[in-house]
Amino acid sequence: MRALAILLLVLAGLVPARAETLITSLSNHRVLINSNYTGTQIAVFGAIERDAQTVARATTYDVVVTVRGPHQFLTVREKERLGPVWINQEQQKFPSVPAYISVMTSRPITEITSEQLRQRQKIGLESIINANDFTYARDGADKPFREALHRLKTQEGLYIEDERGVTFLTSDIFRAAIPLPATAPPGNYEVDVTLFADTVILARTSTSFELVKTGFEERIGVVARDWSLLYGLATAAIAIFFGWLANVIFRRD
């Protein structure tokens, strides 16, 4: 009943509608991976629309674009050197983490909004990694493993944070480029665009694109996934054949 009453008030014009509306579009919703794929970029375009009753704000807008790739199960292990070898020590399991995260902002995120809101809304790479649903642990003992995961993924080019990655072409139109390295895994990528002003969220919108293998790589992937036993036997047979062939070629009589 309460929600119905609010809706009727909005329709009657007694409660003002949202002042800003965020409209976004991607340059491509489907990226094909073939044998020559070396990485690419997808452009995000956005426009901010105000209703007729809203005057222009005294402060400028800020935009945060967050991209999350397909989720995966990861285990981060602590290694210790014992003489000439490295041995595994403690480990931390991450049951469902994005294989790819990219956060692009119009200026440093610490200047856009407060730390409390970033943690609550999971805005910014650090806030996403430190979120409670990132691991099973809740006592803070997993912090070194989170930091290690962050470092390793950053080195692979899969966790990216660009504090100047969003460019305003006009006061109401912006653009960002999502970098997709060759190591980015295939799957669905979610794009979340958040509009800020005076450290407050004004609007939010989401879209997505897909990274898809094509050609010979796709067929090999399908066989490996759907016919894993056959794929394993065929791989072993090919390895044995080439080993035997090399022995015959280089054999000394």
Side-chain angles (χ1 to χ4, degrees):
M1 292 297 294
R2 190 179 197 182
L4 180 59
I6 293 175
L7 178 60
L8 292 174
L9 289 174
V10 171
L11 293 176
L14 300 178
V15 176
R18 177 173 293 182
E20 281 87 357
T21 301
L22 188 58
I23 302 172
T24 58
S25 178
L26 300 179
S27 61
N28 196 351
H29 286 271
R30 187 177 175 88
V31 178
L32 303 181
I33 302 175
N34 53 34
S35 57
N36 298 322
Y37 180 77
T38 58
T40 188
Q41 287 186 340
I42 290 183
V44 182
F45 296 96
I48 304 164
E49 291 189 349
R50 293 188 297 269
D51 58 34
Q53 289 77 28
T54 304
V55 297
R57 292 181 180 270
T59 57
T60 58
Y61 292 112
D62 286 301
V63 171
V64 177
V65 178
T66 305
V67 185
R68 294 177 177 86
H71 287 240
Q72 60 182 181
F73 182 94
L74 291 176
T75 301
V76 176
R77 295 181 176 87
E78 180 185 4
K79 292 182 179 292
E80 182 178 350
R81 188 164 188 170
L82 185 62
V85 298
W86 291 87
I87 60 174
N88 293 328
Q89 296 293 323
E90 295 183 9
Q91 67 178 28
Q92 175 65 54
K93 295 181 179 180
F94 294 86
S96 181
V97 298
Y100 172 95
I101 303 175
S102 178
V103 179
M104 293 156 289
T105 58
S106 53
R107 58 182 174 135
I109 199 166
T110 54
E111 300 176 8
I112 293 177
T113 188
S114 65
E115 181 179 357
Q116 292 79 5
L117 189 144
R118 293 198 303 272
Q119 294 294 337
R120 186 169 65 251
Q121 298 291 335
K122 300 177 186 178
I123 296 173
L125 185 55
E126 184 178 351
S127 298
I128 295 172
I129 294 174
N130 291 328
N132 289 334
D133 58 357
F134 219 66
T135 67
Y136 293 126
R138 294 290 184 270
D139 56 0
D142 61 341
K143 184 177 180 180
F145 296 96
R146 293 177 188 248
E147 294 174 349
L149 176 64
H150 185 183
R151 183 180 67 255
L152 294 172
K153 285 288 190 179
T154 300
Q155 291 173 356
E156 295 174 3
L158 295 175
Y159 279 13
I160 305 163
E161 192 162 34
D162 185 356
E163 62 183 24
R164 299 293 180 184
V166 178
T167 302
F168 273 88
L169 306 178
T170 68
S171 60
D172 298 330
I173 299 175
F174 59 89
R175 179 188 185 277
I178 303 171
L180 291 173
T183 52
N188 190 63
Y189 286 69
E190 299 175 355
V191 182
D192 182 81
V193 183
T194 308
L195 177 67
F196 290 86
D198 295 323
T199 73
V200 177
I201 295 178
L202 301 180
R204 205 166 190 171
T205 185
S206 297
T207 184
S208 64
F209 64 89
E210 193 177 11
L211 204 58
V212 182
K213 285 185 177 180
T214 60
F216 180 73
E217 292 82 1
E218 181 188 19
R219 290 192 290 271
I220 290 295
V222 170
V223 172
R225 183 184 66 248
D226 298 338
W227 303 87
S228 55
L229 178 59
L230 180 61
Y231 176 80
L233 293 174
T235 303
I238 292 173
I240 292 172
F241 170 75
F242 278 105
W244 170 82
L245 184 61
N247 181 64
V248 170
I249 294 174
F250 296 104
R251 182 174 57 190
R252 293 182 180 179
D253 295 329

